[in-house]
Amino acid sequence: MEVKLTVTGMSCSMCAKIIEDRLRRLEGVRDVLVNFNSALVFVKFDESKISVSKIVRVIEDSGYHVLREKREITLEIEGMNNSTCVEAIEKRLDLLPGIIEKSITVGKVRIVYDPLKVSKDEMLEEIDKIGLKLLRLKEKEYTLEKELSEKRIRKLKSCLVVSITIGIIIFFLRFFFHEVIFLEFILATSAIIYSGREIFSRAYSSLRVRFLTMEVMYSIGIGSAYLTSFLATFGVFYKDFNFYEASVFLIVFLLFGKLLEERAREKSWNSLRRLMSLQPKRAIVLRNGREIEVPTSEILVGDIVITKPGERFPVDGIVLDGESYVEESSITGESIPKFKKVGDRIYGGTINKSSFLKVKAEKVGKETLLSQIVRIVEEAQFSRPRIQNLADKFVYLFIPMVLTIAIFSFLFWYFLVEKSLVFAFATFLSVIVIACPCAFGLAIPTALVVGLGKGAELGILVKNASALEILKKASFILFDKTGTLTTGKLEVVDVISFELGEKELLSIVASLERYSGHPLGEAIVRKATELDLNFKDVHGVEIVPGKGIKGLINGQKVVVGNARMMFEESVEIEDKILDKVREFEQEGKTAIIVSIDFRVYGIIGISDKVREDAFSLIKEIKKHKKVGIVTGDSKNVANSVANLLGLDFVESEILPTEKAKIVRKLQERGEIVVFVGDGINDAPALAQANVGIAFGNAADVAIESGDIVLMRNELKDILKAIKLSEKIMSKIKQNIFWAIVYNVTLIPFSAGLMYLAFGIQFRPEWSALAMSLSSVSVVINSLLLKL
């Protein structure tokens, strides 16, 4: 079983690690994914060994809060035709926990429930016990994410206003008055109780589960400053130990940093939230000959949806009536509208630009392409690049190391240098407060959230964050040929006619090939149709598998096929014709020979044309990586394409299962392989490669196997994906570098280096401000990816 929980209180990867480690220790938990940016926790577990309530309890025992999400279902029930049935259902539902609200009328039941306490199946089971039959079920899920973020920001603002007001009052009391330490005590106590309570609460929860977090460090700093001040207030220490002002301003600067960080993280999440908001809330559907407006959640597969100009399509479907231009930038990143007519596919979230369209719904709700894109991006943000493990290990060791430095600095200044106890204590506080593991914890996840969101806007869906890391290092890019580097559509490219006109020759061959059903024959028929040629009557059609087709046209025997068929049909072929056939094959074309009454009248060359954008793509990639193709096509065809594009590696006449073996051989040679494909037969190779790139028009199984999905069928997006990976990894390294520079520079300064160099002691308040700004700078640096 899987459960998705919204958890508040997580601020960096250290918080995520606490939850992940505690849940993984539980018997029955199979997998845990935590994303502190989106405040989400995914847990896979064996419900026979552990319950959701226990999982929730463990998270809340760790100092975090699990939000109880609401869901709503509406049931249409057959046979529920009187008040007795209504009462029976009401009694059965009252037996279940987690029912927040219910509305029961004849034929319809609406239930709002807590999915952590009761499941949909349990409710349906209770209704089934009464003997009533379910006709239709509609679901609605409440989105708490934006409300949650706004609530966090309001709370932070409130705490910040209170603490900064009290801090300013204490500052002026200290500056203008004397002997008011008791009043400072009352004010500082109020600030800590109201604004600092959550810091201490989380620190206590972390210590209880034996984790050292940033809240622990801050609690030590604030608590030490407050405790010494408290003892000074009541005469235990000298009044020089009055650090009330410092204890309050530590809270002020921490909350100030958290507020800026929260706002920046809110912006980093906007790309995904914008995608989620593209689906309209309501739509017009045609039912029983009438147009009615319904919530999008109530549209069913098969419904006819009417969309006016300027409106977004609520579902994926097929155009039944009308013609219009549709902007698909939300799906593909391409801003130029595409013309849609009857039979064309429409995607939910795209915009109807110019005219009314009737669309038959094929995919609704979570099955639409837009919903799948959101799911892919959301899941990718839970994945972890390998560099994250290194950062986590550093953060884990960092806090004990800083505590050691803080204690050592206190002992050094008090016992060795013989500075005052107040000076040594202030130095201890400064070191405790200035250390910032959060900068490390935010360095990678924030860059990923912004970068993956930007990729989604460009039509590049990254399903696994580690793919970005590998893509940047890749040494070899291997392409499937057909449909990737070529158009995937056979076309007539050459017509050589010896006695007849070219159009007459095409008309004769197309008339016969109409009956073949072969892709080569279909290409000839398609060409004849484009030229608006007439088809002739054909009799006695005979298909010869692997060789060609023959029949009678106007009483003459027409044979169309390869050289082997011509020999078998006793058609004499001159050497110059055979030379031309060989020339075609060397150019990667398939040669079709045409004979009428045992004489050759022409040759037709058919090929799968190399895409125009393939040339510039390969040229650019070859500057940094090796490039090759693997294909099931003949050696001549494969070599022709390879020579044309200047490829380093060619494998032809390969079975689908062998593509993965070739990828494996390259990997055994030490290559980091990227495989690019678009078909079902590419799925094994996409899965075997270090990184698999699939096109959005690819078969579903290829998309599932790929690590990166390109929503537009444009080769230049491969370069964009490589560039995106370089930009994200560069931003991650910048974030880590500045986090290291910050800590390596300022910890020694706060420990007393500044005093030795300039004679100025680094105050605890300054440390708090510097710590807050370091976390904020990491998030802002990540946000620059949006540019």
Side-chain angles (χ1 to χ4, degrees):
M1 184 176 176
E2 290 184 23
V3 66
K4 181 176 85 170
L5 305 171
T6 303
V7 179
T8 61
M10 294 189 288
S11 57
C12 71
S13 63
M14 195 68 188
C15 303
K17 184 172 173 56
I18 291 172
I19 293 173
E20 192 173 322
D21 285 0
R22 291 212 71 203
L23 291 179
R24 286 189 188 279
R25 291 177 199 163
L26 299 175
E27 186 185 359
V29 172
R30 292 173 181 159
D31 194 20
V32 182
L33 294 170
V34 184
N35 188 333
F36 70 86
N37 275 303
S38 58
L40 291 176
V41 177
F42 278 97
V43 187
K44 287 183 182 179
F45 62 99
D46 184 344
E47 55 188 324
S48 65
K49 293 181 180 177
I50 188 169
S51 64
V52 175
S53 58
K54 184 171 182 182
I55 291 169
V56 169
R57 196 161 58 248
V58 167
I59 293 172
E60 294 190 332
D61 285 346
S62 303
Y64 306 95
H65 179 62
V66 179
L67 282 186
R68 269 56 177 179
E69 291 194 44
K70 293 189 295 182
R71 287 188 190 167
E72 180 184 312
I73 56 170
T74 303
L75 312 173
E76 291 183 20
I77 297 171
E78 188 178 42
M80 181 183 168
N81 47 26
N82 56 54
S83 59
T84 307
C85 295
V86 171
E87 286 176 22
I89 290 175
E90 193 156 354
K91 284 179 181 176
R92 298 304 305 183
L93 292 177
D94 285 340
L95 298 173
L96 298 172
I99 304 292
I100 298 167
E101 184 186 326
K102 59 183 183 292
S103 169
I104 307 171
T105 56
V106 174
K108 189 173 281 191
V109 179
R110 178 183 156 274
I111 307 166
V112 179
Y113 67 99
D114 180 350
L116 299 182
K117 292 183 178 177
V118 63
S119 70
K120 179 177 64 180
D121 291 339
E122 286 175 308
M123 292 184 283
L124 295 177
E125 197 176 303
E126 290 299 324
I127 291 170
D128 190 54
K129 286 176 183 176
I130 305 169
L132 298 173
K133 183 182 176 184
L134 179 68
L135 284 177
R136 185 180 293 176
L137 182 150
K138 299 165 191 167
E139 287 189 80
K140 179 180 177 183
E141 194 168 326
Y142 293 90
T143 304
L144 298 175
E145 197 181 305
K146 189 163 176 63
E147 295 172 28
L148 174 64
S149 179
E150 288 170 354
K151 189 177 179 181
R152 282 198 302 258
I153 289 172
R154 281 198 304 271
K155 176 69 175 170
L156 282 170
K157 277 183 179 177
S158 170
C159 290
L160 180 60
V161 168
V162 169
S163 60
I164 203 167
T165 303
I166 290 173
I168 290 169
I169 292 170
I170 291 175
F171 173 79
F172 278 105
L173 285 173
R174 179 82 53 88
F175 193 76
F176 292 108
F177 302 96
H178 301 285
E179 304 300 326
V180 287
I181 192 169
F182 191 75
L183 182 55
E184 289 179 30
F185 158 68
I186 293 170
L187 289 168
T189 303
S190 303
I192 287 171
I193 290 172
Y194 182 79
S195 301
R197 181 177 59 221
E198 193 173 336
I199 300 166
F200 284 93
S201 172
R202 285 197 201 157
Y204 171 71
S205 299
S206 299
L207 287 172
R208 207 173 63 186
V209 295
R210 298 175 185 176
F211 270 95
L212 289 173
T213 63
M214 198 58 223
E215 280 76 15
V216 172
M217 299 283 281
Y218 240 79
S219 295
I220 292 171
I222 296 166
S224 300
Y226 177 81
L227 183 60
T228 53
S229 306
F230 175 81
L231 294 172
T233 304
F234 294 97
V236 178
F237 284 173
Y238 296 115
K239 289 190 178 178
D240 288 345
F241 280 87
N242 182 352
F243 286 96
Y244 283 131
E245 181 188 353
S247 67
V248 173
F249 274 104
L250 289 180
I251 295 171
V252 168
F253 290 129
L254 174 67
L255 294 175
F256 175 68
K258 289 280 183 192
L259 181 61
L260 291 179
E261 195 180 302
E262 190 65 45
R263 285 191 178 281
R265 277 169 55 190
E266 173 79 6
K267 287 181 182 177
S268 75
W269 200 248
N270 277 349
S271 293
L272 184 58
R273 192 176 288 120
R274 193 158 49 243
L275 277 175
M276 295 165 79
S277 67
L278 291 177
Q279 191 177 59
K281 302 293 182 189
R282 302 184 70 81
I284 295 172
V285 298
L286 198 62
R287 287 181 183 165
N288 300 322
R290 292 173 53 236
E291 292 182 12
I292 58 169
E293 189 177 288
V294 299
T296 300
S297 59
E298 294 184 11
I299 298 176
L300 304 174
V301 172
D303 274 344
I304 308 301
V305 180
I306 297 172
T307 309
K308 300 172 186 175
E311 293 181 344
R312 291 189 183 273
F313 293 96
V315 296
D316 291 359
I318 298 293
V319 177
L320 288 184
D321 187 24
E323 293 180 347
S324 181
Y325 283 93
V326 174
E327 187 190 303
E328 296 183 335
S329 59
S330 55
I331 300 294
T332 65
E334 179 60 64
S335 58
I336 299 171
K338 290 187 177 178
F339 182 70
K340 300 287 182 176
K341 59 185 184 304
V342 174
D344 286 347
R345 184 165 294 281
I346 293 291
Y347 296 107
T350 58
I351 304 172
N352 184 6
K353 298 294 287 184
S354 56
S355 182
F356 283 87
L357 284 181
K358 285 185 181 177
V359 176
K360 183 179 180 181
E362 290 194 335
K363 290 184 179 180
V364 299
K366 292 181 180 179
E367 298 302 313
T368 64
L369 181 60
L370 180 64
S371 296
Q372 289 177 51
I373 290 171
V374 170
R375 177 177 57 79
I376 287 171
V377 177
E378 200 173 51
E379 287 177 359
Q381 290 170 355
F382 280 87
S383 60
R384 298 157 61 89
R386 292 171 191 173
I387 197 171
Q388 178 77 62
N389 297 327
L390 185 65
D392 286 350
K393 283 177 185 175
F394 182 84
V395 170
Y396 193 72
L397 297 170
F398 181 76
I399 294 176
M401 185 174 71
V402 170
L403 278 170
T404 305
I405 293 170
I407 293 167
F408 177 78
S409 66
F410 173 84
L411 296 173
F412 173 80
W413 288 106
Y414 186 64
F415 289 106
L416 296 179
V417 183
E418 296 184 350
K419 279 285 181 182
S420 69
L421 187 61
V422 173
F423 182 96
F425 183 68
T427 303
F428 169 82
L429 288 180
S430 293
V431 175
I432 287 288
V433 171
I434 206 164
C436 189
C438 283
F440 287 101
L442 292 166
I444 297 169
T446 50
L448 282 178
V449 167
V450 178
L452 295 175
K454 184 67 177 177
E457 287 178 9
L458 296 170
I460 301 166
L461 303 185
V462 182
K463 293 166 63 181
N464 190 331
S466 62
L468 293 169
E469 202 171 3
I470 299 166
L471 185 59
K472 185 177 181 297
K473 299 175 185 174
S475 61
F476 206 114
I477 298 189
L478 197 59
F479 289 86
D480 169 59
K481 182 187 76 69
T482 307
T484 305
L485 290 179
T486 62
T487 61
K489 185 178 177 183
L490 292 170
E491 294 180 22
V492 174
V493 290
D494 285 296
V495 179
I496 299 175
S497 182
F498 299 122
E499 294 185 28
L500 300 171
E502 286 184 10
K503 289 186 177 181
E504 179 64 16
L505 183 74
L506 269 176
S507 174
I508 292 169
V509 176
S511 301
L512 191 58
E513 289 286 8
R514 275 191 303 170
Y515 301 96
S516 71
H518 193 280
L520 293 170
E522 288 172 357
I524 294 169
V525 172
R526 201 162 46 242
K527 183 69 174 177
T529 305
E530 287 171 10
L531 296 173
D532 201 24
L533 302 180
N534 294 322
F535 292 101
K536 304 176 186 301
D537 292 331
V538 182
H539 303 282
V541 175
E542 185 182 340
I543 298 168
V544 183
K547 296 172 187 175
I549 188 170
K550 55 186 176 180
L552 295 173
I553 297 177
N554 296 330
Q556 295 177 302
K557 184 178 181 180
V558 179
V559 179
V560 177
N562 55 26
R564 191 174 167 188
M565 183 160 181
M566 296 300 143
F567 290 131
E568 289 181 4
E569 291 294 324
S570 302
V571 176
E572 189 177 333
I573 307 177
E574 296 176 18
D575 288 342
K576 67 175 183 180
I577 294 172
L578 288 174
D579 289 342
K580 197 65 184 175
V581 168
R582 280 191 285 269
E583 185 185 321
F584 274 15
E585 288 177 349
Q586 284 168 0
E587 292 171 356
K589 302 170 189 172
T590 300
I592 304 294
I593 303 170
V594 184
S595 75
I596 303 173
D597 283 344
F598 306 100
R599 283 182 60 200
V600 174
Y601 272 76
I603 308 170
I604 297 174
I606 298 175
S607 77
D608 183 5
K609 285 173 69 176
V610 174
R611 291 169 55 159
E612 292 296 326
D613 50 354
F615 296 94
S616 56
L617 171 76
I618 300 301
K619 184 181 177 182
E620 191 64 33
I621 291 176
K622 282 191 71 178
K623 291 177 182 177
H624 308 287
K625 308 176 194 299
K626 286 172 271 188
V627 188
I629 57 168
V630 57
T631 177
D633 285 345
S634 70
K635 191 173 182 179
N636 281 338
V637 171
N639 286 335
S640 167
V641 172
N643 292 333
L644 196 62
L645 293 171
L647 304 180
D648 306 299
F649 177 89
V650 186
E651 283 284 352
S652 57
E653 299 175 7
I654 297 299
L655 295 172
T657 52
E658 292 174 333
K659 289 182 182 180
K661 288 178 184 174
I662 289 164
V663 172
R664 197 178 303 117
K665 280 181 185 175
L666 288 170
Q667 289 168 330
E668 287 167 359
R669 278 169 32 186
E671 303 285 2
I672 299 172
V673 182
V674 176
F675 188 87
V676 184
D678 75 334
I680 289 174
N681 62 358
D682 295 327
L686 287 165
Q688 175 65 41
N690 299 89
V691 177
I693 298 179
F695 284 98
N697 64 343
D700 288 345
V701 69
I703 292 175
E704 285 302 314
S705 303
D707 300 296
I708 297 173
V709 180
L710 307 178
M711 296 310 298
R712 292 184 294 189
N713 190 20
E714 292 186 14
L715 290 175
K716 67 181 179 183
D717 284 355
I718 295 170
L719 289 175
K720 284 186 182 177
I722 294 170
K723 196 73 170 174
L724 180 71
S725 76
E726 290 172 351
K727 290 282 185 184
I728 291 175
M729 294 312 299
S730 171
K731 196 59 71 177
I732 285 172
K733 287 174 183 175
Q734 286 173 29
N735 287 346
I736 290 173
F737 171 78
W738 288 115
I740 290 171
V741 167
Y742 163 83
N743 282 289
V744 167
T745 305
L746 291 186
I747 288 175
F749 257 69
S750 63
L753 184 62
M754 187 171 177
Y755 182 78
L756 290 173
F758 307 107
I760 301 169
Q761 186 179 19
F762 206 99
R763 296 283 302 165
E765 300 96 308
W766 303 352
S767 293
L769 180 60
M771 190 284 301
S772 300
L773 293 178
S774 70
S775 292
V776 173
S777 65
V778 164
V779 179
I780 290 172
N781 188 43
S782 297
L783 283 172
L784 294 177
L785 276 170
K786 292 172 79 70
L787 305 178

